[in-house]
Amino acid sequence: MIRPRTLIRIVLYGTITWLCLVGLWLGLPSPSPYDDGTTYATSTLLAGRTLTRVYSTSDHNVQTSEYARRKSFALTYRLSPSHTSVLVNGHYIFPIYNNWTDTPAVAVQVATGDQDGINPPWFNVADSTLLFHKIHYDDGAITLRARRIGDTWEIYPEGNGHQPLLSLTGIGNGETAAPMDINKATVPAPPESFSPSRTYYIRLVIFYLMVPIGMVFVVIGGTFGATFTILFKIFETLLLVGIQMLFAVAVVLVFVRVFKGKDAMEELIEETLAKLRSPIVWIAERFKRATRRRVACIQKQKWYDLDR
């Protein structure tokens, strides 16, 4: 049986750990890779890695639910080792050939999100969008085609003036079905599209640590959709309240430190902790007494049964 003091320590240390994670979540910088629309995209794709880009839904014809109209959507691209195709969002293959006709239209499911919720305004746009999606799991659909123009092969959304989302430039050998020798990749430069920051995956780990059962939610979310949404709404509300409280405390402490000095600030902290500690100690003592009475009753019942 867990002792009351142990239970209080678990709750206290858990709260402190959670607050530290929130502070790290808020204070972790979001350095974006050097992104002129070409350098980062080219180095990422030619190295065989996945390129993630976040675009604005208002600039492209993205079909979403009326109840989940988000500001941004994400696409991932991965170049095949032989440079003969591009894998979009992990499921949709667009072949790269030296033909001059547009490929058939493909409806691609995309992750959508906003830049608010638990994400402060100073987060990277792509980071905020992807993290927002991790909570709400709103999806949309966009119809894409691919075509070849000169030495450039591009993917573009249907019905939007053929503005390319990704362009690959290479030197074709003139044969109809031969792959290009790709030497450059181009995507719309910020602010038309963004890639996640270098610390996105660190912040994602912090996110799952702040929600210890977050991974379980992800697994069961598809089965218990309503419960999943409600639980994350509760978490989002609690996190927002916690963030606001942290900001309020920080403002008060800074005000006291500036106008009344360091000693006054330390005294305020000690008095506040003492006031917070008093009800916790009172509850612990009450719980301890109740536990002792319960244990005494159980022991008395055992002796009574033995006497019989």
Side-chain angles (χ1 to χ4, degrees):
M1 184 176 181
I2 300 178
R3 299 172 58 186
R5 183 176 299 178
T6 303
L7 181 61
I8 292 175
R9 286 179 177 175
I10 292 174
V11 174
L12 180 61
Y13 293 155
T15 303
I16 293 174
T17 302
W18 184 81
L19 290 175
C20 291
L21 288 172
V22 171
L24 186 59
W25 164 277
L26 296 174
L28 186 69
S30 301
S32 299
Y34 175 73
D35 193 356
D36 58 359
T38 300
T39 305
Y40 177 72
T42 301
S43 61
T44 300
L45 288 177
L46 293 186
R49 300 192 300 269
T50 299
L51 174 66
T52 301
R53 298 299 289 189
V54 170
Y55 307 86
S56 172
T57 54
S58 61
D59 296 335
H60 305 283
N61 187 21
V62 179
Q63 301 174 2
T64 59
S65 167
E66 293 183 1
Y67 303 100
R69 296 187 181 277
R70 303 305 181 189
K71 298 177 182 178
S72 306
F73 70 97
L75 287 173
T76 63
Y77 308 100
R78 190 178 184 90
L79 194 60
S80 66
S82 60
H83 293 187
T84 57
S85 64
V86 172
L87 184 65
V88 177
N89 278 9
H91 298 285
Y92 308 92
I93 299 176
F94 288 81
I96 303 174
Y97 290 134
N98 282 343
N99 55 38
W100 301 88
T101 59
D102 293 8
T103 62
V106 178
V108 176
Q109 185 176 6
V110 296
T112 62
D114 289 337
Q115 289 79 52
D116 51 13
I118 66 172
N119 300 300
W122 58 83
F123 277 16
N124 175 288
V125 173
D127 290 8
S128 296
T129 301
L130 296 174
L131 291 169
F132 189 98
H133 178 74
K134 293 294 182 183
I135 295 178
H136 298 275
Y137 281 87
D138 295 325
D139 293 321
I142 184 171
T143 303
L144 301 179
R145 290 180 181 269
R147 65 175 179 175
R148 170 79 186 276
I149 301 178
D151 286 337
T152 300
W153 179 92
E154 59 187 28
I155 293 178
Y156 65 92
E158 190 175 45
N160 195 36
H162 290 182
Q163 180 183 3
L165 300 176
L166 170 69
S167 300
L168 301 176
T169 303
I171 302 173
N173 58 12
E175 298 179 8
T176 303
M180 297 191 300
D181 182 16
I182 298 169
N183 53 38
K184 186 174 71 172
T186 304
V187 292
E192 295 183 13
S193 71
F194 301 86
S195 281
S197 70
R198 301 185 187 277
T199 56
Y200 166 70
Y201 290 102
I202 298 177
R203 186 168 272 115
L204 184 61
V205 171
I206 297 173
F207 169 80
Y208 283 123
L209 289 176
M210 287 194 301
V211 191
I213 56 175
M215 293 303 295
V216 178
F217 285 168
V218 171
V219 174
I220 67 175
T223 307
F224 304 99
T227 304
F228 176 73
T229 303
I230 292 172
L231 290 174
F232 262 123
K233 284 290 186 182
I234 294 173
F235 161 72
E236 182 179 4
T237 302
L238 292 176
L239 182 58
L240 287 174
V241 171
I243 292 173
Q244 292 173 358
M245 290 178 63
L246 284 176
F247 274 117
V249 170
V251 170
V252 171
L253 291 178
V254 170
F255 179 83
V256 174
R257 177 67 175 84
V258 171
F259 292 97
K260 294 189 176 182
K262 181 179 179 181
D263 295 337
M265 183 185 71
E266 293 178 351
E267 183 179 352
L268 176 62
I269 294 175
E270 291 177 358
E271 291 179 357
T272 303
L273 291 177
K275 291 180 180 179
L276 291 175
R277 195 181 300 116
S278 297
I280 295 176
V281 172
W282 182 84
I283 293 173
E285 289 295 332
R286 291 287 181 177
F287 185 78
K288 188 176 181 180
R289 292 177 185 176
T291 303
R292 286 177 177 175
R293 286 196 296 268
R294 178 61 179 169
V295 171
C297 290
I298 293 174
Q299 290 178 347
K300 186 181 294 185
Q301 183 65 36
K302 287 182 178 179
W303 284 112
Y304 176 76
D305 293 339
L306 289 174
D307 291 340
R308 293 180 61 185

